[in-house]
Amino acid sequence: MKKIFTIILIIVCSHAFAQDSLKVFNNMRNKTTASGMAVLGSWGVLNLGVGAVGWTSSTDPTSRYFYEMNVIWGAADFGTALLGYAGTQKYKNKKLTAAETLEEQKRIEKIFLINEGLDVVYLGAGAYLTLEGHSRNSPIMKGYGSAVLLQGTFLLIFDGLMHRAEKQNGTKLRNFLEKHPVTFNGKQVGILFNM
């Protein structure tokens, strides 16, 4: 009877340990993402404010277009940050299984990796607009191009740092799951602890 009680106690404690650990990983991912969204939202508000002032007060057409595009990007960044933050709140107290936790971790890493690729495209588009603007003497192309270069540079740095932080969280999660794999044979669920 003692052996059966001990085995049941170990299984219950193991399950509680795994659930607590998964909760820690999910909270870490949410905090990382929420912090990133706060940075992105702040950048958006800064661009909205500075861009609006520059757009309305600038007399140089190139500068006016530069500030106008920064206002547009500021609104997009702020909107994206709000949506991202809302997503973190959706998962804040949600209990995810090991498989769901791993899937969510992969998803957020993939989002920032794809964004890094898009940022390189933004930089290329900004460089193209700027160069074409100079060759055509087009204030709108020069202003917009310079703004897209600025925004693309910020976003490349931001998305690179976020991807790195999320990847580190993911590595910790994958290491934990390797050491404490969750098994399922169709009828039974269990956690294996390597000793």
Side-chain angles (χ1 to χ4, degrees):
M1 187 68 165
K2 257 185 168 178
K3 288 182 182 181
I4 292 173
F5 180 72
T6 304
I7 290 171
I8 291 172
L9 184 61
I10 289 172
I11 290 171
V12 169
C13 290
S14 298
H15 181 70
F17 172 73
Q19 286 300 318
D20 285 347
S21 297
L22 289 175
K23 187 176 181 179
V24 167
F25 285 113
N26 287 316
N27 286 339
M28 189 175 8
R29 182 184 56 254
N30 269 342
K31 284 181 182 179
T32 300
T33 305
S35 297
M37 293 305 103
V39 170
L40 183 61
S42 298
W43 174 253
V45 169
L46 178 68
N47 278 286
L48 282 167
V50 172
V53 169
W55 187 14
T56 58
S57 64
S58 182
T59 56
D60 174 54
T62 301
S63 294
R64 195 169 41 245
Y65 288 121
F66 172 79
Y67 288 120
E68 178 182 8
M69 182 55 76
N70 282 312
V71 168
I72 293 167
W73 277 84
D77 288 341
F78 185 70
T80 301
L82 284 178
L83 290 173
Y85 185 76
T88 64
Q89 297 309 299
K90 176 180 154 185
Y91 285 102
K92 191 173 185 177
N93 294 318
K94 192 173 182 182
K95 289 185 179 181
L96 300 177
T97 66
E100 291 169 333
T101 299
L102 187 58
E103 195 57 39
E104 184 60 22
Q105 185 62 45
K106 287 178 185 176
R107 186 187 72 79
I108 196 73
E109 288 175 29
K110 190 182 222 180
I111 287 171
F112 286 111
L113 183 62
I114 290 169
N115 284 348
E116 284 180 275
L118 289 172
D119 300 336
V120 172
V121 173
Y122 300 150
L123 288 171
Y128 172 78
L129 285 171
T130 302
L131 291 172
E132 281 297 306
H134 284 292
S135 69
R136 296 180 187 186
N137 197 23
S138 169
I140 191 169
M141 291 179 87
K142 287 190 280 186
Y144 280 5
S146 295
V148 172
L149 278 171
L150 172 68
Q151 298 300 325
T153 300
F154 169 80
L155 289 173
L156 183 63
I157 293 167
F158 170 77
D159 289 325
L161 291 172
M162 287 300 297
H163 181 251
R164 182 176 177 192
E166 294 292 1
K167 190 84 169 163
Q168 287 173 345
N169 289 344
T171 298
K172 289 176 187 173
L173 174 62
R174 285 182 277 281
N175 288 340
F176 171 78
L177 291 176
E178 282 178 16
K179 291 178 184 172
H180 311 289
V182 177
T183 61
F184 179 66
N185 67 5
K187 295 180 182 177
Q188 297 173 322
V189 176
I191 298 174
L192 302 175
F193 284 92
N194 299 324
M195 303 209 168

mmCIF file of all heavy atoms in Angstrom, residues 73-104:
data_model
loop_
_atom_site.group_PDB
_atom_site.id
_atom_site.type_symbol
_atom_site.label_atom_id
_atom_site.label_comp_id
_atom_site.label_asym_id
_atom_site.label_seq_id
_atom_site.Cartn_x
_atom_site.Cartn_y
_atom_site.Cartn_z
ATOM 1 N N TRP A 73 3.593 55.602 -40.381
ATOM 2 C CA TRP A 73 4.255 54.469 -39.736
ATOM 3 C C TRP A 73 3.980 54.442 -38.238
ATOM 4 O O TRP A 73 3.826 53.376 -37.638
ATOM 5 C CB TRP A 73 5.766 54.497 -39.984
ATOM 6 C CG TRP A 73 6.135 53.912 -41.299
ATOM 7 C CD1 TRP A 73 6.131 54.564 -42.500
ATOM 8 C CD2 TRP A 73 6.550 52.585 -41.564
ATOM 9 N NE1 TRP A 73 6.519 53.697 -43.490
ATOM 10 C CE2 TRP A 73 6.793 52.472 -42.947
ATOM 11 C CE3 TRP A 73 6.743 51.463 -40.767
ATOM 12 C CZ2 TRP A 73 7.224 51.304 -43.541
ATOM 13 C CZ3 TRP A 73 7.173 50.307 -41.360
ATOM 14 C CH2 TRP A 73 7.404 50.219 -42.731
ATOM 15 N N GLY A 74 3.936 55.622 -37.627
ATOM 16 C CA GLY A 74 3.641 55.694 -36.191
ATOM 17 C C GLY A 74 2.279 55.109 -35.875
ATOM 18 O O GLY A 74 2.118 54.360 -34.909
ATOM 19 N N ALA A 75 1.288 55.441 -36.714
ATOM 20 C CA ALA A 75 -0.057 54.894 -36.508
ATOM 21 C C ALA A 75 -0.048 53.372 -36.687
ATOM 22 O O ALA A 75 -0.664 52.642 -35.897
ATOM 23 C CB ALA A 75 -1.036 55.546 -37.479
ATOM 24 N N ALA A 76 0.667 52.893 -37.704
ATOM 25 C CA ALA A 76 0.735 51.448 -37.949
ATOM 26 C C ALA A 76 1.448 50.736 -36.801
ATOM 27 O O ALA A 76 0.999 49.672 -36.335
ATOM 28 C CB ALA A 76 1.453 51.176 -39.266
ATOM 29 N N ASP A 77 2.549 51.306 -36.326
ATOM 30 C CA ASP A 77 3.290 50.695 -35.213
ATOM 31 C C ASP A 77 2.449 50.672 -33.940
ATOM 32 O O ASP A 77 2.424 49.670 -33.216
ATOM 33 C CB ASP A 77 4.597 51.446 -34.950
ATOM 34 C CG ASP A 77 5.633 51.217 -36.029
ATOM 35 O OD1 ASP A 77 5.508 50.231 -36.792
ATOM 36 O OD2 ASP A 77 6.577 52.032 -36.107
ATOM 37 N N PHE A 78 1.755 51.775 -33.671
ATOM 38 C CA PHE A 78 0.928 51.834 -32.471
ATOM 39 C C PHE A 78 -0.218 50.824 -32.556
ATOM 40 O O PHE A 78 -0.511 50.112 -31.584
ATOM 41 C CB PHE A 78 0.382 53.255 -32.263
ATOM 42 C CG PHE A 78 -0.372 53.413 -30.981
ATOM 43 C CD1 PHE A 78 0.294 53.393 -29.762
ATOM 44 C CD2 PHE A 78 -1.747 53.563 -30.985
ATOM 45 C CE1 PHE A 78 -0.397 53.531 -28.566
ATOM 46 C CE2 PHE A 78 -2.458 53.697 -29.793
ATOM 47 C CZ PHE A 78 -1.781 53.679 -28.586
ATOM 48 N N GLY A 79 -0.863 50.737 -33.715
ATOM 49 C CA GLY A 79 -1.938 49.763 -33.901
ATOM 50 C C GLY A 79 -1.447 48.335 -33.754
ATOM 51 O O GLY A 79 -2.093 47.492 -33.118
ATOM 52 N N THR A 80 -0.287 48.038 -34.332
ATOM 53 C CA THR A 80 0.302 46.708 -34.220
ATOM 54 C C THR A 80 0.619 46.378 -32.761
ATOM 55 O O THR A 80 0.374 45.260 -32.298
ATOM 56 C CB THR A 80 1.585 46.611 -35.068
ATOM 57 O OG1 THR A 80 1.254 46.902 -36.430
ATOM 58 C CG2 THR A 80 2.225 45.243 -34.970
ATOM 59 N N ALA A 81 1.153 47.360 -32.044
ATOM 60 C CA ALA A 81 1.480 47.152 -30.628
ATOM 61 C C ALA A 81 0.223 46.872 -29.805
ATOM 62 O O ALA A 81 0.230 45.996 -28.937
ATOM 63 C CB ALA A 81 2.219 48.373 -30.078
ATOM 64 N N LEU A 82 -0.850 47.595 -30.085
ATOM 65 C CA LEU A 82 -2.105 47.347 -29.361
ATOM 66 C C LEU A 82 -2.621 45.940 -29.620
ATOM 67 O O LEU A 82 -3.038 45.243 -28.684
ATOM 68 C CB LEU A 82 -3.169 48.374 -29.774
ATOM 69 C CG LEU A 82 -3.027 49.779 -29.208
ATOM 70 C CD1 LEU A 82 -4.136 50.685 -29.761
ATOM 71 C CD2 LEU A 82 -3.053 49.781 -27.696
ATOM 72 N N LEU A 83 -2.592 45.510 -30.876
ATOM 73 C CA LEU A 83 -3.046 44.153 -31.208
ATOM 74 C C LEU A 83 -2.156 43.096 -30.550
ATOM 75 O O LEU A 83 -2.644 42.096 -30.027
ATOM 76 C CB LEU A 83 -3.064 43.954 -32.722
ATOM 77 C CG LEU A 83 -4.145 44.718 -33.481
ATOM 78 C CD1 LEU A 83 -3.944 44.560 -34.993
ATOM 79 C CD2 LEU A 83 -5.522 44.253 -33.071
ATOM 80 N N GLY A 84 -0.839 43.330 -30.595
ATOM 81 C CA GLY A 84 0.093 42.393 -29.966
ATOM 82 C C GLY A 84 -0.101 42.306 -28.468
ATOM 83 O O GLY A 84 -0.073 41.221 -27.883
ATOM 84 N N TYR A 85 -0.315 43.453 -27.838
ATOM 85 C CA TYR A 85 -0.529 43.466 -26.392
ATOM 86 C C TYR A 85 -1.843 42.764 -26.047
ATOM 87 O O TYR A 85 -1.918 42.014 -25.072
ATOM 88 C CB TYR A 85 -0.534 44.901 -25.859
ATOM 89 C CG TYR A 85 -0.622 44.954 -24.357
ATOM 90 C CD1 TYR A 85 0.489 44.665 -23.572
ATOM 91 C CD2 TYR A 85 -1.821 45.256 -23.718
ATOM 92 C CE1 TYR A 85 0.415 44.685 -22.192
ATOM 93 C CE2 TYR A 85 -1.907 45.274 -22.341
ATOM 94 C CZ TYR A 85 -0.787 44.994 -21.575
ATOM 95 O OH TYR A 85 -0.873 45.002 -20.216
ATOM 96 N N ALA A 86 -2.873 42.999 -26.841
ATOM 97 C CA ALA A 86 -4.156 42.316 -26.614
ATOM 98 C C ALA A 86 -3.971 40.799 -26.717
ATOM 99 O O ALA A 86 -4.577 40.041 -25.956
ATOM 100 C CB ALA A 86 -5.200 42.799 -27.617
ATOM 101 N N GLY A 87 -3.116 40.360 -27.631
ATOM 102 C CA GLY A 87 -2.829 38.934 -27.764
ATOM 103 C C GLY A 87 -2.176 38.362 -26.525
ATOM 104 O O GLY A 87 -2.468 37.229 -26.122
ATOM 105 N N THR A 88 -1.294 39.141 -25.892
ATOM 106 C CA THR A 88 -0.657 38.647 -24.667
ATOM 107 C C THR A 88 -1.670 38.536 -23.539
ATOM 108 O O THR A 88 -1.579 37.634 -22.715
ATOM 109 C CB THR A 88 0.513 39.545 -24.208
ATOM 110 O OG1 THR A 88 0.021 40.843 -23.858
ATOM 111 C CG2 THR A 88 1.595 39.655 -25.272
ATOM 112 N N GLN A 89 -2.639 39.438 -23.517
ATOM 113 C CA GLN A 89 -3.653 39.395 -22.464
ATOM 114 C C GLN A 89 -4.573 38.188 -22.636
ATOM 115 O O GLN A 89 -5.064 37.624 -21.664
ATOM 116 C CB GLN A 89 -4.469 40.691 -22.449
ATOM 117 C CG GLN A 89 -3.642 41.915 -22.126
ATOM 118 C CD GLN A 89 -2.810 41.754 -20.867
ATOM 119 O OE1 GLN A 89 -3.327 41.553 -19.788
ATOM 120 N NE2 GLN A 89 -1.496 41.820 -21.001
ATOM 121 N N LYS A 90 -4.772 37.796 -23.882
ATOM 122 C CA LYS A 90 -5.615 36.630 -24.178
ATOM 123 C C LYS A 90 -5.016 35.359 -23.573
ATOM 124 O O LYS A 90 -5.734 34.487 -23.096
ATOM 125 C CB LYS A 90 -5.728 36.496 -25.696
ATOM 126 C CG LYS A 90 -6.470 35.303 -26.189
ATOM 127 C CD LYS A 90 -6.492 35.331 -27.721
ATOM 128 C CE LYS A 90 -6.624 33.952 -28.292
ATOM 129 N NZ LYS A 90 -6.540 33.939 -29.745
ATOM 130 N N TYR A 91 -3.684 35.279 -23.561
ATOM 131 C CA TYR A 91 -3.008 34.081 -23.053
ATOM 132 C C TYR A 91 -2.500 34.239 -21.625
ATOM 133 O O TYR A 91 -1.908 33.322 -21.087
ATOM 134 C CB TYR A 91 -1.828 33.719 -23.963
ATOM 135 C CG TYR A 91 -2.254 33.099 -25.263
ATOM 136 C CD1 TYR A 91 -2.269 33.841 -26.431
ATOM 137 C CD2 TYR A 91 -2.649 31.773 -25.327
ATOM 138 C CE1 TYR A 91 -2.667 33.281 -27.629
ATOM 139 C CE2 TYR A 91 -3.057 31.192 -26.513
ATOM 140 C CZ TYR A 91 -3.065 31.957 -27.661
ATOM 141 O OH TYR A 91 -3.459 31.398 -28.835
ATOM 142 N N LYS A 92 -2.741 35.383 -21.019
ATOM 143 C CA LYS A 92 -2.155 35.689 -19.713
ATOM 144 C C LYS A 92 -2.433 34.631 -18.653
ATOM 145 O O LYS A 92 -1.521 34.163 -17.991
ATOM 146 C CB LYS A 92 -2.629 37.061 -19.236
ATOM 147 C CG LYS A 92 -1.890 37.567 -18.039
ATOM 148 C CD LYS A 92 -2.286 38.998 -17.735
ATOM 149 C CE LYS A 92 -1.463 39.542 -16.603
ATOM 150 N NZ LYS A 92 -1.789 40.933 -16.339
ATOM 151 N N ASN A 93 -3.664 34.243 -18.472
ATOM 152 C CA ASN A 93 -4.009 33.275 -17.424
ATOM 153 C C ASN A 93 -4.497 31.948 -17.996
ATOM 154 O O ASN A 93 -5.059 31.132 -17.270
ATOM 155 C CB ASN A 93 -5.075 33.872 -16.492
ATOM 156 C CG ASN A 93 -4.534 35.052 -15.723
ATOM 157 O OD1 ASN A 93 -3.407 35.029 -15.232
ATOM 158 N ND2 ASN A 93 -5.310 36.116 -15.652
ATOM 159 N N LYS A 94 -4.278 31.756 -19.276
ATOM 160 C CA LYS A 94 -4.735 30.532 -19.922
ATOM 161 C C LYS A 94 -3.746 29.411 -19.646
ATOM 162 O O LYS A 94 -2.544 29.582 -19.770
ATOM 163 C CB LYS A 94 -4.856 30.767 -21.430
ATOM 164 C CG LYS A 94 -5.581 29.696 -22.155
ATOM 165 C CD LYS A 94 -5.806 30.101 -23.609
ATOM 166 C CE LYS A 94 -6.590 29.049 -24.337
ATOM 167 N NZ LYS A 94 -6.775 29.402 -25.746
ATOM 168 N N LYS A 95 -4.277 28.248 -19.241
ATOM 169 C CA LYS A 95 -3.421 27.092 -18.998
ATOM 170 C C LYS A 95 -3.242 26.347 -20.311
ATOM 171 O O LYS A 95 -4.209 25.887 -20.907
ATOM 172 C CB LYS A 95 -4.034 26.171 -17.947
ATOM 173 C CG LYS A 95 -3.991 26.752 -16.558
ATOM 174 C CD LYS A 95 -4.487 25.753 -15.534
ATOM 175 C CE LYS A 95 -4.406 26.379 -14.147
ATOM 176 N NZ LYS A 95 -4.849 25.455 -13.120
ATOM 177 N N LEU A 96 -1.997 26.262 -20.752
ATOM 178 C CA LEU A 96 -1.683 25.570 -21.988
ATOM 179 C C LEU A 96 -0.982 24.254 -21.681
ATOM 180 O O LEU A 96 -0.184 24.175 -20.744
ATOM 181 C CB LEU A 96 -0.773 26.433 -22.867
ATOM 182 C CG LEU A 96 -1.317 27.791 -23.299
ATOM 183 C CD1 LEU A 96 -0.264 28.557 -24.094
ATOM 184 C CD2 LEU A 96 -2.579 27.647 -24.114
ATOM 185 N N THR A 97 -1.254 23.249 -22.473
ATOM 186 C CA THR A 97 -0.550 21.978 -22.340
ATOM 187 C C THR A 97 0.872 22.161 -22.857
ATOM 188 O O THR A 97 1.211 23.202 -23.448
ATOM 189 C CB THR A 97 -1.246 20.881 -23.169
ATOM 190 O OG1 THR A 97 -1.127 21.226 -24.552
ATOM 191 C CG2 THR A 97 -2.696 20.715 -22.764
ATOM 192 N N ALA A 98 1.691 21.151 -22.682
ATOM 193 C CA ALA A 98 3.065 21.216 -23.182
ATOM 194 C C ALA A 98 3.077 21.408 -24.690
ATOM 195 O O ALA A 98 3.828 22.230 -25.220
ATOM 196 C CB ALA A 98 3.829 19.949 -22.795
ATOM 197 N N ALA A 99 2.230 20.678 -25.401
ATOM 198 C CA ALA A 99 2.172 20.803 -26.861
ATOM 199 C C ALA A 99 1.692 22.194 -27.276
ATOM 200 O O ALA A 99 2.245 22.800 -28.205
ATOM 201 C CB ALA A 99 1.253 19.731 -27.437
ATOM 202 N N GLU A 100 0.687 22.719 -26.590
ATOM 203 C CA GLU A 100 0.177 24.061 -26.902
ATOM 204 C C GLU A 100 1.226 25.124 -26.583
ATOM 205 O O GLU A 100 1.385 26.091 -27.334
ATOM 206 C CB GLU A 100 -1.099 24.339 -26.111
ATOM 207 C CG GLU A 100 -2.290 23.521 -26.551
ATOM 208 C CD GLU A 100 -3.464 23.619 -25.598
ATOM 209 O OE1 GLU A 100 -3.256 23.868 -24.368
ATOM 210 O OE2 GLU A 100 -4.600 23.426 -26.062
ATOM 211 N N THR A 101 1.947 24.936 -25.487
ATOM 212 C CA THR A 101 3.000 25.871 -25.112
ATOM 213 C C THR A 101 4.093 25.891 -26.169
ATOM 214 O O THR A 101 4.538 26.959 -26.606
ATOM 215 C CB THR A 101 3.601 25.490 -23.739
ATOM 216 O OG1 THR A 101 2.566 25.547 -22.754
ATOM 217 C CG2 THR A 101 4.735 26.409 -23.335
ATOM 218 N N LEU A 102 4.511 24.727 -26.599
ATOM 219 C CA LEU A 102 5.550 24.633 -27.626
ATOM 220 C C LEU A 102 5.062 25.235 -28.939
ATOM 221 O O LEU A 102 5.804 25.970 -29.603
ATOM 222 C CB LEU A 102 5.962 23.177 -27.825
ATOM 223 C CG LEU A 102 7.156 22.929 -28.744
ATOM 224 C CD1 LEU A 102 8.395 23.659 -28.254
ATOM 225 C CD2 LEU A 102 7.432 21.437 -28.844
ATOM 226 N N GLU A 103 3.832 24.981 -29.304
ATOM 227 C CA GLU A 103 3.264 25.521 -30.553
ATOM 228 C C GLU A 103 3.191 27.046 -30.492
ATOM 229 O O GLU A 103 3.519 27.737 -31.460
ATOM 230 C CB GLU A 103 1.885 24.919 -30.800
ATOM 231 C CG GLU A 103 1.364 25.122 -32.184
ATOM 232 C CD GLU A 103 2.266 24.574 -33.280
ATOM 233 O OE1 GLU A 103 2.860 23.496 -33.100
ATOM 234 O OE2 GLU A 103 2.391 25.238 -34.325
ATOM 235 N N GLU A 104 2.750 27.592 -29.367
ATOM 236 C CA GLU A 104 2.664 29.044 -29.204
ATOM 237 C C GLU A 104 4.058 29.666 -29.244
ATOM 238 O O GLU A 104 4.257 30.730 -29.819
ATOM 239 C CB GLU A 104 1.947 29.384 -27.892
ATOM 240 C CG GLU A 104 1.720 30.854 -27.675
ATOM 241 C CD GLU A 104 0.872 31.525 -28.730
ATOM 242 O OE1 GLU A 104 0.096 30.841 -29.431
ATOM 243 O OE2 GLU A 104 0.993 32.765 -28.867
#
